[in-house]
Amino acid sequence: VGYNLVYRPLKANSLYTEGYEAIQDRRYPESGQLFKQADDVWRMKGWYYRYARAYSDASQYGLAADKYQELLGSWPKDTQAALEYAAMESVKRQNYARAEDILTQYVLERDYFNQEALLLAVDNSMARADFEEQRYGEPDTALIQRLYEDARRRLGMVMEHHGRSDGYLERMLTYFMRVERAGAGDKSADVLPL
C-alpha cells in the first residue's frame, strides 16, 4: 500500500520535475523522455499543463500541442486544456482552422454556449478573416464573408446568453469596421444602436 500511495507518486513527481527543469535548460528530447518515465510511474494531470505551457513559452509549439493532445486524449472534457490549446494554435501559430476544430470538438459540441469558447471562436474567426484579407493575390471573399458571419453569429449568441458588456460591444464594433473594410458597405446604421 505504501509503495502505491506514497513511493510511486513521489517518484513520478521527482521525474516530472526533472523533465520540467530540462525544458528550462532547452533539453527538449530529454524532457520528453523524463515525462514519459514519470507518466508510466504515476499519471498527474497538472504536469501535462505545466509541460504544455512551458513548451509554448519556449516557442516549442509542436511539443506543446503534443502535450495538449495527450491531456485531451486522457481527459477529453477538460475545457481549460482545450481553451489553452486553441488559443495557442490561433494566436501563436496562426493555425486558425485547427483552433476552430479544437474548440468545436472539445468544448462547443457538449457546451454550445460556453462563454470563453465562443469568445475565442469569435476572435479566431476575426483573426482568420483579417489574415485572409491580407493575402497576396485575390482574397477568397466567400471565405472572408463566411468567417465574419460566423463571428457575428457567435458574438450575438454570447450577448444573448451572457448579457452585454463593454468587451462584447467592442468586439461587435470591430466586427462592423472589419466588415465595412471588406466591402460590405456603410454599417454606421447598425453601429449607432449599440
Side-chain angles (χ1 to χ4, degrees):
V1 173
Y3 174 77
N4 280 331
L5 298 178
V6 178
Y7 174 77
R8 287 181 62 207
L10 289 174
K11 177 66 175 171
N13 195 57
S14 172
L15 289 168
Y16 281 125
T17 301
E18 194 177 334
Y20 186 77
E21 290 169 358
I23 296 172
Q24 309 309 317
D25 295 336
R26 298 181 182 175
R27 295 178 286 133
Y28 305 118
E30 184 180 340
S31 72
Q33 292 167 353
L34 289 163
F35 183 92
K36 171 106 175 70
Q37 290 174 11
D39 208 44
D40 289 344
V41 173
W42 192 270
R43 181 172 283 180
M44 295 182 183
K45 183 178 180 180
W47 281 106
Y48 283 84
Y49 277 107
R50 289 186 193 113
Y51 273 67
R53 291 170 183 156
Y55 284 136
S56 180
D57 291 344
S59 300
Q60 297 297 310
Y61 303 122
L63 295 172
D66 291 345
K67 280 295 161 257
Y68 281 123
Q69 288 170 358
E70 290 173 28
L71 199 163
L72 289 168
S74 297
W75 296 278
K77 293 184 178 183
D78 191 321
T79 300
Q80 187 59 38
L83 292 172
E84 286 183 20
Y85 183 19
M88 181 192 76
E89 289 292 342
S90 179
V91 175
K92 294 184 177 180
R93 296 179 92 181
Q94 282 106 25
N95 190 348
Y96 305 113
R98 179 69 183 130
E100 179 68 29
D101 290 344
I102 293 164
L103 289 171
T104 301
Q105 179 180 355
Y106 293 107
V107 183
L108 296 173
E109 282 184 355
R110 65 181 165 74
D111 186 4
Y112 193 66
F113 299 111
N114 182 290
Q115 181 179 11
E116 290 179 80
L118 286 170
L119 289 174
L120 186 53
V122 166
D123 293 342
N124 185 61
S125 292
M126 297 275 280
R128 183 175 179 192
D130 188 51
F131 179 81
E132 294 294 334
E133 284 182 70
Q134 306 304 320
R135 279 190 183 272
Y136 290 109
E138 194 66 33
D140 184 349
T141 54
L143 173 62
I144 293 167
Q145 289 174 351
R146 183 182 60 76
L147 290 167
Y148 280 133
E149 179 57 25
D150 185 54
R152 185 203 58 78
R153 182 180 51 81
R154 286 183 168 170
L155 189 53
M157 286 184 352
V158 170
M159 291 169 62
E160 181 180 332
H161 289 278
H162 301 285
R164 288 184 175 196
S165 77
D166 289 344
Y168 305 158
L169 294 174
E170 181 181 342
R171 280 182 173 93
M172 189 61 84
L173 289 172
T174 301
Y175 160 79
F176 283 126
M177 289 187 296
R178 296 251 185 99
V179 168
E180 187 174 326
R181 181 186 73 194
D186 184 14
K187 292 290 185 182
S188 58
D190 295 328
V191 173
L192 291 176
L194 296 176

